[in-house]
Amino acid sequence: MSELPDFHSALVYLINADSARATLPFQRANRAEQYATAFWFDELVKETAEGAVVRQYLVTAGEPTRVETAEITLRQELCSPAMSAEKVAMTGFAEGWIHLGDLGVAVMPDTALYAYAARKGWSWTTDEITDGVAATEEDIAALDGTPVPAYLLGHPVDAENGAREQALVVGEIVRTDEDGVRWVGTLPQGCVGAPVFIGAGLGENSFKLVCVGVALPGEGPHPIATFDRIRAALLAIAPERRGDVPATAAEPRSAVPKRRWWRRRG
């Protein structure tokens, strides 16, 4: 692995400060299989004087979502009022996801998840990968074939007790014309579907945090579905499928105040 950059500690701090509450572990219920990580993403629809208008999704790799009943681990920091870590079963799990063409990525509009929390008497208190952090075409094009230090925020499976604690896994990514972007290094069980980050240099010892995309299953270096392609695929989702009401209006569900990408919501 190439030497980690001087801003390694700063990147670790930013990822944990800004995105620690963005991830959610899940697996096939009652079976030790189909372990994966999902994460919240805010698709930017437009900017207004009041703030950024966003459409929110849960994002992950497509293959692990193809189960009828899933077991999701809720961490106490994701819920208000706070609860102890709890495993909940969601039936009809596969039907709730929209698969983005052949990208290997699935998204779930936030409608069902917010409705679930409301029925149980609590609300979500999450971080989200914002559109400003998600990679653009220019960010991906800047990956020139040289391995780049990368950071995956996922939920590995504890071999002894099956626990799904969050971990920041360090590896590398590389982009080639033949294979696209790939994760080079160990991808622990349970981390398929997790977001992958890099620090993109801006010159003069400055950088920006970039979420390159979603770690996918595969042999050898694992493919990454990059956010430039994910963003384009989201635009093709029919309004009625992404939860907009009425379908003809294509108006997003929420407007949220702007917040700087490096600051965590309190």
Side-chain angles (χ1 to χ4, degrees):
M1 179 184 299
S2 61
E3 184 179 355
L4 292 176
D6 292 339
F7 48 75
H8 166 71
S9 296
L11 276 170
V12 170
Y13 172 80
L14 286 175
I15 293 168
N16 283 308
D18 199 58
S19 304
R21 296 184 298 176
T23 63
L24 197 64
F26 69 94
Q27 68 185 77
R28 183 190 292 269
N30 303 314
R31 296 188 189 180
E33 60 186 37
Q34 296 290 71
Y35 295 101
T37 297
F39 63 94
W40 296 92
F41 169 64
D42 281 353
E43 177 193 19
L44 178 64
V45 178
K46 62 183 177 181
E47 297 273 5
T48 71
E50 291 74 29
V53 180
V54 302
R55 187 177 291 113
Q56 192 173 89
Y57 298 96
L58 199 63
V59 182
T60 190
E63 187 57 34
T65 68
R66 302 181 189 276
V67 298
E68 174 57 29
T69 305
E71 179 182 279
I72 297 175
T73 302
L74 292 178
R75 295 173 285 144
Q76 62 178 359
E77 61 266 31
L78 302 185
C79 309
S80 179
M83 300 184 297
S84 60
E86 180 182 359
K87 296 184 184 297
V88 298
M90 287 187 67
T91 58
F93 190 68
E95 290 74 19
W97 295 88
I98 302 168
H99 292 263
L100 302 182
D102 60 356
L103 292 185
V105 173
V107 299
M108 179 184 287
D110 65 359
T111 310
L113 294 162
Y114 278 88
Y116 176 85
R119 290 196 304 271
K120 298 297 183 178
W122 52 270
S123 59
W124 292 97
T125 54
T126 62
D127 295 322
E128 301 83 33
I129 306 300
T130 65
D131 198 86
V133 173
T136 64
E137 290 184 8
E138 292 76 17
D139 293 323
I140 302 304
L143 300 172
D144 59 4
T146 303
V148 175
Y151 306 79
L152 180 148
L153 188 63
H155 292 266
V157 180
D158 188 298
E160 294 185 359
N161 58 23
R164 304 293 305 279
E165 298 295 330
Q166 188 184 69
L168 189 63
V169 182
V170 179
E172 291 182 329
I173 62 169
V174 64
R175 181 179 71 87
T176 65
D177 292 338
E178 296 79 15
D179 297 327
V181 180
R182 298 238 170 196
W183 171 266
V184 181
T186 301
L187 188 68
Q189 184 185 29
C191 289
V192 164
V196 177
F197 299 87
I198 63 170
L202 297 175
E204 298 182 357
N205 296 320
S206 62
F207 68 94
K208 65 176 180 176
L209 182 67
V210 174
C211 183
V212 176
V214 181
L216 301 180
E219 297 297 329
H222 289 260
I224 296 174
T226 55
F227 253 114
D228 57 330
R229 300 182 67 195
I230 293 171
R231 191 183 282 108
L234 287 174
L235 293 175
I237 297 176
E240 62 270 22
R241 297 200 68 197
R242 61 189 177 217
D244 293 341
V245 179
T248 55
E251 188 65 23
R253 296 183 64 253
S254 59
V256 298
K258 293 180 182 178
R259 63 185 177 100
R260 299 183 185 274
W261 63 267
W262 62 85
R263 294 186 60 187
R264 178 174 177 173
R265 183 174 55 192

